[in-house]
Amino acid sequence: MSKDFTIVMPSFGERESLKKLIPEILNCSGNSLSRIIVVDDNSPDGTSEFIKSNIFNCDVMCINRLDRTGLSSAVIEGVMAADTEYVAVMDADGQHDPADLFAMYELIKN
């Protein structure tokens, strides 16, 4: 399986959620995940610093948006930064199960 899948995660104030969520995503990803792109609206809780200062088993990048906010524009910016055939958007608050996302990816691939 090739690394042809990117997850875009818009965030604001999601540092604590991402600490738990990113390892969960990586645990489910197999060999398909190319990158996680966190699009953060300059969170005061240090979300972007957390992403930039940690090493993960996958490419995890953070777009720290200054003077720009909003879910729709964050999603668009993240998708435009993706360079894979498949892109999914997943909120960074942990309300969605990463296993479900990868099950949907497998359905699309098959």
Side-chain angles (χ1 to χ4, degrees):
M1 189 176 295
S2 64
K3 293 183 180 252
D4 59 357
F5 187 37
T6 298
I7 299 174
V8 174
M9 301 178 73
S11 75
F12 182 78
E14 303 292 355
R15 178 184 176 136
E16 293 306 312
S17 294
L18 288 168
K19 283 182 181 180
K20 198 172 107 176
L21 188 57
I22 290 173
E24 287 178 24
I25 290 169
L26 297 178
N27 189 45
C28 296
S29 68
N31 291 323
S32 60
L33 188 62
S34 175
R35 176 177 299 117
I36 296 171
I37 301 173
V38 177
V39 184
D40 186 64
D41 284 352
N42 201 29
S43 296
D45 70 347
T47 297
S48 64
E49 291 83 3
F50 164 72
I51 299 298
K52 293 174 184 178
S53 66
N54 280 279
I55 297 173
F56 302 98
N57 293 343
C58 175
D59 184 16
V60 180
M61 70 178 271
C62 183
I63 299 172
N64 186 27
R65 300 186 336 144
L66 305 174
D67 299 323
R68 296 185 316 276
T69 59
L71 178 61
S72 297
S73 63
V75 168
I76 291 167
E77 195 163 339
V79 169
M80 288 177 61
D83 61 354
T84 56
E85 184 174 358
Y86 302 97
V87 180
V89 176
M90 181 177 188
D91 200 82
D93 67 2
Q95 68 177 314
H96 302 109
D97 184 347
D100 292 339
L101 181 63
F102 287 96
M104 288 187 282
Y105 167 78
E106 289 299 321
L107 284 172
I108 291 169
K109 289 289 288 189
N110 293 326

